[in-house]
Amino acid sequence: MEGVEPSVVARVEGRAGTILMNRPRALNALDGEMIGRLAEAAARFAEDPAVDLVILEGAGGRAFCAGGDVRAIRAAALAGDAGTVERFFAGEYTLNRRIAEYPKPWISLIDGVCMGGGIGVSVHGSHRVVTEHALLAMPETAIALFPDVGTSYVLPRLPGTPGAMGRWLALTGARLRGAEAVEAGLATHHVPRERLPALREALLSGDASVVERHAAAVPPGAVEAARAAVEFAFAPGDLSSIMAVLTAQGTDWARAQLEVLHRMSPTSLLVTLELLRRGATMDLPACLAMELALTRAVTRHPDFAEGVRAVLVDKDNTPRWSPPAIADVDPAAVLAMFGG
């Protein structure tokens, strides 16, 4: 039963260090304990001469990792427990950097939901393998957070018109299914679920190159079909211009994007754009440091507690944002969250 099993199971199998995120009922969402265990396993395998590569997986068949345990962070923030909030994000971001700098191949087998913190423990690794059941997203603007776990570095650098794909994914929380994540640049390989056991077995030899032999071709799909519209509408770096372009486009796709943007926290949208603007010129360690500083201000903003309440606690999906409209957000207040 869950609760008696460890939240992270790490062992050496063949020439591989295997790590299983093991909170299936919580869709393998990361809490502080899991982050600590993941960091411990990563450190151990990095030093072990018997380990040539690391395989990261999620238990339960429904999710790789649905993100961080933001309900617990909300509770800590409401209680004024800044220490708990700080320890969680500091630990998570330290792990993200460790993965980015890992001395061995870090291979994530993403079969199911992978959002937020799940992106953080995979996107910085050498191989991000998705099946047709993978679902990747950074949905933070819906809960008035911001795309974190180092994505302020990753998103502005996705292929295509500089910044456009990343702004679309970050602002709307658009969900990428299966091979769409490869099209967008968040994943590196598409392997059908039926081939995943064979790939895992082959990886136990310690040879990361076997991923290529098991991967399937990625024909142009939904992301490629929308790329021209995304790169046109989300090329501007400011929200008013993005929304003006979408309004002028007048397509069903553009109207759907506008509808999503109007549901998100206005403050979070503007914080996210500023974050990506800054992240485009910074290295990953600097981006992670910026994100950590930003969590201190954002988790104290009333929209964070309200967004998590509406989406994850009460699940009524009717957040009352403060301020309620994009035009009412003070740009100086946004810059103040970054320290001016």
Side-chain angles (χ1 to χ4, degrees), residues 217-264:
V218 177
V223 169
E224 207 55 50
R227 185 177 295 278
V230 167
E231 295 193 350
F232 183 60
F234 289 86
D238 65 285
L239 194 58
S240 59
S241 295
I242 289 170
M243 298 184 85
V245 173
L246 288 168
T247 300
Q249 278 183 324
T251 62
D252 288 345
W253 179 86
R255 282 189 290 271
Q257 308 316 302
L258 282 168
E259 184 180 325
V260 170
L261 291 173
H262 281 299
R263 290 200 304 267
M264 302 306 185

Side-chain angles (χ1 to χ4, degrees), residues 23 187 192 251 338:
R23 292 181 71 209
T251 62
F338 290 85

Side-chain angles (χ1 to χ4, degrees), residues 6 15 21 26-27 31 62 85 94 111-112 128 155 199 242 246 263 282 286 292 326 332 334 336:
R15 298 291 306 179
M21 295 177 285
L27 299 182
D31 59 14
R62 295 171 59 205
V85 176
T94 299
D111 186 36
R128 289 93 68 190
L155 292 172
L199 169 59
I242 289 170
L246 288 168
R263 290 200 304 267
M282 299 164 68
L292 182 59
I326 293 166
V334 171

Side-chain angles (χ1 to χ4, degrees), residues 40-248:
E40 181 184 2
R44 176 157 51 91
F45 291 149
E47 297 297 326
D48 190 341
V51 170
D52 294 328
L53 56 81
V54 171
I55 302 170
L56 182 64
E57 302 168 280
R62 295 171 59 205
F64 174 75
C65 171
D69 190 351
V70 290
R71 279 181 290 191
I73 298 305
R74 174 183 184 266
L78 288 173
D81 183 1
T84 291
V85 176
E86 181 83 6
R87 282 190 297 275
F88 175 84
F89 286 116
E92 185 177 27
Y93 299 170
T94 299
L95 175 62
N96 300 149
R97 180 174 176 176
R98 177 185 287 275
I99 293 168
E101 298 172 351
Y102 210 67
K104 300 173 182 180
W106 183 278
I107 303 168
S108 298
L109 303 182
I110 304 170
D111 186 36
V113 175
C114 177
M115 296 184 181
I119 300 282
V121 295
S122 57
V123 74
H124 303 294
S126 59
H127 298 68
R128 289 93 68 190
V129 177
V130 291
T131 75
E132 68 275 23
H133 296 280
L135 179 65
L136 277 68
M138 291 297 295
E140 284 75 17
T141 54
I143 57 170
L145 198 55
F146 56 87
D148 64 337
V149 294
T151 60
S152 61
Y153 175 83
V154 173
L155 292 172
R157 292 167 173 80
L158 293 179
T161 299
M165 182 65 66
R167 281 190 283 271
W168 174 55
L169 295 175
L171 295 173
T172 67
R175 299 184 170 201
L176 303 175
R177 298 180 181 276
E180 294 170 7
V182 180
E183 289 184 278
L186 284 180
T188 57
H189 299 82
H190 171 56
V191 173
R193 178 183 275 181
E194 63 181 15
R195 296 188 200 171
L196 209 56
L199 169 59
R200 188 186 189 282
E201 183 65 27
L203 284 169
L204 300 185
S205 69
D207 179 7
S209 70
V210 300
V211 174
E212 295 286 349
R213 297 200 289 274
H214 287 77
V218 177
V223 169
E224 207 55 50
R227 185 177 295 278
V230 167
E231 295 193 350
F232 183 60
F234 289 86
D238 65 285
L239 194 58
S240 59
S241 295
I242 289 170
M243 298 184 85
V245 173
L246 288 168
T247 300

